[in-house]
């Protein structure tokens, strides 16, 4: 027991450390959401040692940018927090018969690999072909209103000004463009209570959900092509509730619906779509309300933009990356809302994000770094 | 503050006190379920003072019976507990423009009026035309397994041996025969989780409830005539639940169904009926289970029995009582399970039971006492 402060966490030298080793070092620093101070301090210290970068900080978000006066600017971004550790730290290098060497442990997929690649490039590509803003931010794995990138967008939108953005979220080294939007709606029915021994005196709100569920079950979701990528939508009940007691006719019931909508729709169009799907079901019900409780619009992939197209060509040429739509909502939509086309491109299988056996082939970390280097520094 | 025990609660003299006054005295004794000791002691003391009765006690249940060697025996029963007091004690005599004098307060309806009538008859009809067992019991307003009448039926079934039983539950002075049974079933669907951004990888268990709810909503309940009374059934969802998170396809959902079934069906027939109603809905679902979680069989009214028929004739002649089916489940079913036909017959509007403004027209207390007296002591 001592009153002396713990020594500050430090990162190995960015310019000379392999991205895989850097990923390990980042994973082994405490950084569960809400506890990002130490890793943010370490990143800030490491970046301030690089004379070619201007460093900015807001809370536990750290940005560093080149100021070379290039014709275009790109943002390369990643969050520095992880979901809680489940006995899966410190990291281990393991061998996997299928994919070779893997780095195992919390954060190896989501998303210290992407962060390590960005830090590595920040230190080693001192004169990129485009100006680059590297952004490392906090609170991505928790409630959206705490999100560090969202905070920067509100407080310092100029810090994120760019022609294109790359988010290093895990995509297994492929390019995933844009993202679907997501909306949650509550469909609530209203009845009249009665003792269930005299049910005819009441009106059963749970029974009124029958046509709503039938419409959802029968609905066939669309696949929509946006900027050349096929976005598959989804419309699902994700929650249902109702009932007062085992001997009461319920006067209220609610089904929570989640609509994942392609990025050609905005929030208003998405709500109108759900209402249209349910219109016939609701026509005969006495008292139904539909309330949008949560919405995040998607992001068009924007791959027709000159800078984006150049990146995609370079990435495909360097690593054979595929170009696919992103189904899940990610922070690329925050860039989209700022008018910046954005893609996801990072190491790690997204299906292993948050898993207890989260692990990333080290080759993917190396490949993603090589692809970005091929684009940012084609001559090197 | 004193260490001396509180004086024992006492009842006014049973033989000389008007049933309305006796109802007041019973209401004003503490007797919320679980706290029946004082009222049970007072009832036992009062009954033991009557030399023509044999008194029995088990826990906080007190029984008293004549032993005149009559050809038939009837049970007149009532519970001595109430639901919690809501600022509605002590009782008050009030005037109601519609019904005249009312006794207001907790227990006036459910069911100190019926208990007072029984105590009054126990004391004043010393030579009834049939042998009578008066039964006063605890814990009716709480979980069924605590029910004092159920406990007597298990421990001392001979104490309840009879040809007919009258339960003094509130029926507004009418005769309500038998009761519907009640069964709760859980209909559970099973799906496969997935992130809702990739819903096609999962199977939505909430959507699978659509045909179940549709079958319940479309079902028209039967009305079944049993022993001359029309029992209206009810089949209803009384609860529904499902959902993991707002971004997950749910792998489990359940609807709780309550079936109120006429007393011509036993538990097995009731379950078969529900399964038949849902059969078409379930035919196409991959993985559904139906579990009976709770069942209480109903009771046939048994009004064709000689003793019962005589009682009904006397009650109708004395007070103009109507004879109706009982829809809700009551303790008459416990008598039915012992092979004893039983009816509900007591003062008070059952719709006011448990209400904060629980109140009973005093004329109903007097009328019910008169009707029972006309039957038990036709010569008096």
């Amino acid at each position: 027991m001592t009153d002396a402060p713990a020594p500050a966490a430090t990162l190995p030298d960015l310019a000379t450390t392999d991205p895989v080793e850097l990923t390990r070092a980042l994973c082994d620093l405490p950084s569960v959401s809400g506890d990002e101070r130490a890793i943010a301090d370490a990143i800030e210290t490491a970046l301030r040692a690089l004379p070619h970068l201007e460093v900015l900080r807001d809370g536990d978000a750290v940005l560093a940018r080149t100021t070379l006066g290039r014709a275009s600017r790109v943002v390369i971004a990643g969050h520095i927090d992880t979901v809680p550790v489940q006995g899966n730290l410190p990291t281990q290098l393991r061998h996997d018969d299928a994919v070779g060497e893997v780095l195992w442990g919390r954060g190896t997929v989501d998303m210290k690999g992407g962060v390590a690649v960005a830090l590595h490039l920040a230190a080693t590509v001192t004169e990129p072909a485009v100006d680059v803003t590297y952004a490392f931010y906090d609170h991505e794995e928790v409630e959206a209103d705490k999100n560090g990138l969202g905070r920067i967008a509100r407080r310092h939108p100029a810090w994120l000004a760019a022609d294109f953005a790359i988010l290093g979220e895990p995509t297994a080294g492929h390019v995933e463009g844009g993202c679907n939007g997501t909306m949650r709606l509550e469909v609530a029915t209203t009845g009249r209570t009665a003792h269930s021994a005299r049910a005819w005196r009441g009106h059963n709100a749970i029974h009124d959900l029958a046509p709503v569920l039938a419409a959802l079950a029968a609905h066939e979701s669309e696949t929509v092509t946006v900027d050349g990528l096929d976005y598959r939508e989804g419309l699902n009940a994700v929650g249902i509730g109702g009932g007062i007691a085992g001997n009461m006719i319920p006067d209220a019931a609610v089904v929570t619906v989640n609509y994942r909508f392609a990025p050609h729709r905005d929030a208003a169009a998405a709500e109108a779509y759900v209402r249209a799907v349910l219109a016939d079901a609701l026509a005969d019900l006495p008292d139904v309300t539909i309330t949008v409780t949560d919405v995040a619009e998607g992001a068009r992939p924007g791959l027709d933009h000159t800078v984006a197209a150049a990146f995609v060509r370079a990435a495909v040429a360097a690593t054979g990356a595929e170009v696919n739509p992103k189904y899940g909502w990610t922070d690329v939509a925050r860039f989209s809302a700022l008018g910046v086309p954005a893609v996801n491109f990072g190491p790690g299988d997204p299906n292993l994000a948050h898993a207890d056996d989260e692990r990333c082939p080290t080759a993917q970390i190396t490949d993603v770094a090589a692809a970005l280097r091929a684009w940012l520094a084609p001559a090197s």
Side-chain angles (χ1 to χ4, degrees), chain A:
Chain A
M1 303 295 285
T2 170
D3 290 321
T10 54
L11 290 175
D13 179 59
L14 298 185
T16 57
T17 305
D18 176 84
V20 174
E21 268 314 298
L22 191 52
T23 303
R24 277 194 89 159
L26 288 163
C27 291
D28 290 338
L29 285 180
S31 56
V32 173
S33 307
D35 191 25
E36 298 99 330
R37 177 61 47 88
I39 195 170
D41 287 350
I43 288 171
E44 182 184 0
T45 300
L47 291 170
R48 286 200 187 278
L50 301 169
H52 65 286
L53 295 175
E54 177 189 8
V55 178
L56 304 164
R57 178 150 177 174
D58 179 292
D60 288 334
V62 182
L63 281 74
R65 60 189 178 194
T66 62
T67 51
L68 298 167
R70 301 289 196 241
S72 300
R73 176 174 290 278
V74 301
V75 174
I76 297 177
H79 64 84
I80 59 176
D81 60 322
T82 69
V83 296
V85 178
Q86 298 284 356
N88 50 6
L89 280 183
T91 49
Q92 299 172 18
L93 275 178
R94 294 181 176 180
H95 178 79
D96 181 294
D97 282 341
V99 298
E101 186 182 65
V102 299
L103 184 60
W104 175 94
R106 173 64 75 233
T108 53
V109 169
D110 193 7
M111 56 166 284
K112 297 293 177 58
V115 169
V117 167
L119 286 169
H120 172 74
L121 295 170
T124 57
V125 182
T126 54
E127 295 197 355
V130 291
D131 268 314
V132 184
T133 303
Y134 299 95
F136 307 97
Y137 59 97
D138 54 291
H139 285 98
E140 195 271 348
E141 297 288 7
V142 288
E143 309 92 283
D145 60 2
K146 291 187 176 176
N147 185 290
L149 188 63
R151 188 180 68 245
I152 299 291
R154 285 193 304 275
R155 291 187 184 173
H156 314 286
W159 293 7
L160 300 176
D163 300 288
F164 179 52
I166 297 170
L167 197 61
E169 289 274 2
T171 59
H174 301 301
V175 178
E176 297 193 342
C179 70
N180 272 337
T182 180
M183 171 177 280
R184 267 174 286 274
L185 310 94
E186 294 193 345
V187 182
T189 53
T190 303
R192 192 172 62 253
T193 61
H195 195 290
S196 65
R198 296 174 195 84
W200 53 91
R201 295 184 181 173
H203 179 90
N204 194 317
I206 293 177
H207 291 190
D208 279 356
L209 288 182
V212 177
L213 293 189
L216 292 172
H219 179 67
E220 297 198 5
S221 290
E222 298 183 16
T223 296
V224 184
T225 303
V226 181
D227 298 348
L229 298 181
D230 294 334
Y231 289 85
R232 191 163 172 180
E233 297 193 330
L235 180 64
N236 274 276
V238 291
I240 195 165
I244 301 166
N247 61 355
M248 291 288 282
I249 301 302
D251 64 345
V254 62
V255 58
T256 303
V257 176
N258 183 214
Y259 179 35
R260 300 281 174 158
F261 53 99
H264 70 307
R265 302 189 211 273
D266 62 9
E271 180 179 351
Y273 183 86
V274 176
R275 287 182 178 274
V277 168
L278 298 181
D280 284 351
L282 304 184
D284 294 330
L285 295 180
D287 195 356
V288 185
T289 58
I290 299 181
T291 309
V292 175
T293 57
D294 184 27
V295 62
E297 292 182 341
R300 300 181 73 104
L303 297 183
D304 45 357
H305 186 281
T306 308
V307 179
F311 159 71
V312 170
R313 277 195 305 275
V316 170
T319 65
E322 297 170 12
V323 183
N324 297 313
K326 185 75 171 177
Y327 291 126
W329 193 92
T330 77
D331 279 337
V332 297
R334 299 187 191 275
F335 287 107
S336 185
L338 293 170
V340 181
V343 298
N344 297 278
F345 180 60
D349 176 352
N351 293 314
L352 292 175
H354 305 188
D356 291 353
D357 62 344
E358 186 173 342
R359 61 195 185 280
C360 181
T362 55
Q364 285 187 10
I365 299 172
T366 306
D367 282 355
V368 167
L372 286 168
R373 178 180 298 279
W375 171 53
L376 291 176
S380 70

